[in-house]
Amino acid sequence: NLVMGSLEKIELNLDNTLKQLTILYIEDEDNIRINVEKTLQLLCNKVLSVPNANTALEVYHDNEIDIILSDINLPGMNGLEFTKIIRDENRFIPIILLTAHTNTELLLEATRLRLIDYLTKPINFELLRNTLKTATKEIIQNGTYLIKFQNCTTYNIHKKLLEDKNTHDEIKLTSSEIELLDYL
């Protein structure tokens, strides 16, 4: 029972953390994009949804993105090409690719890009939710999860580091302050 209570607490914490993250979602088919975006908004507060990889690159560079969810078959630059560009810039950001096809060659190429998962369409809600939780765990484990405060200050839970985003200066914390931030 004690273990079960701990597991439920971890699941609740992952759900709460996921709620705070920003997802960039790339899908060229309007109906699918609108429906999946609504589903994603049930899981997290901020979803940036775009129809192609070129727009996604602009959005990625202009916003703080935590997780990328992308269709593979996109007009112009496909999802794999987009992922390669992102991986050159950021090897830690969790990326999930979606496809309507289970092409072995694509799957092999995708695995080299350090993906969280490769999901087939139509998307199963529970599978998507679990995959996003896996991405959330990876963000926490990599130390890339930052709690953002309104005064341009961030707190890295993993590294126990408070930083002024404007000056990039570390703000020294006492052990009691760290304990309080972790508790909150």
Side-chain angles (χ1 to χ4, degrees), residues 19-154:
K19 273 276 188 209
Q20 304 306 315
L21 300 179
T22 300
I23 294 179
L24 172 58
Y25 173 50
I26 309 132
E27 171 62 61
D28 62 317
E29 294 183 45
D30 293 339
N31 290 338
I32 294 173
R33 187 175 63 254
I34 291 166
N35 289 329
V36 173
E37 181 179 359
K38 287 177 184 175
T39 301
L40 290 170
Q41 288 171 343
L42 297 172
L43 300 169
C44 66
N45 291 333
K46 191 168 183 184
V47 178
L48 304 174
S49 177
V50 297
N52 60 62
N54 288 323
T55 304
L57 281 174
E58 291 173 24
V59 170
Y60 176 80
H61 289 121
D62 293 342
N63 296 275
E64 290 187 29
I65 305 298
D66 298 300
I67 298 172
I68 296 173
L69 182 65
S70 176
D71 187 17
I72 287 182
N73 299 317
L74 297 169
M77 181 189 324
N78 71 36
L80 290 173
E81 294 166 331
F82 169 78
T83 300
K84 287 176 188 174
I85 291 170
I86 296 300
R87 279 289 171 248
D88 285 343
E89 296 177 26
N90 183 336
R91 59 180 235 219
F92 294 112
I93 189 165
I95 300 174
I96 302 160
L97 291 180
L98 307 169
T99 185
H101 310 286
T102 53
N103 180 322
T104 306
E105 189 176 310
L106 279 178
L107 200 117
L108 287 173
E109 188 175 348
T111 58
R112 293 185 201 107
L113 297 170
R114 296 186 53 244
L115 303 175
I116 292 295
D117 212 336
Y118 181 94
L119 303 177
T120 55
K121 296 179 189 176
I123 302 169
N124 172 293
F125 176 78
E126 274 307 308
L127 186 57
L128 176 62
R129 182 173 176 253
N130 290 335
T131 302
L132 290 171
K133 282 184 177 185
T134 300
T136 303
K137 283 181 195 173
E138 186 159 307
I139 289 168
I140 293 167
Q141 289 169 348
N142 287 337
T144 55
Y145 176 58
L146 302 174
I147 296 174
K148 300 164 188 105
F149 298 106
Q150 290 180 348
N151 64 352
C152 293
T153 305
T154 61

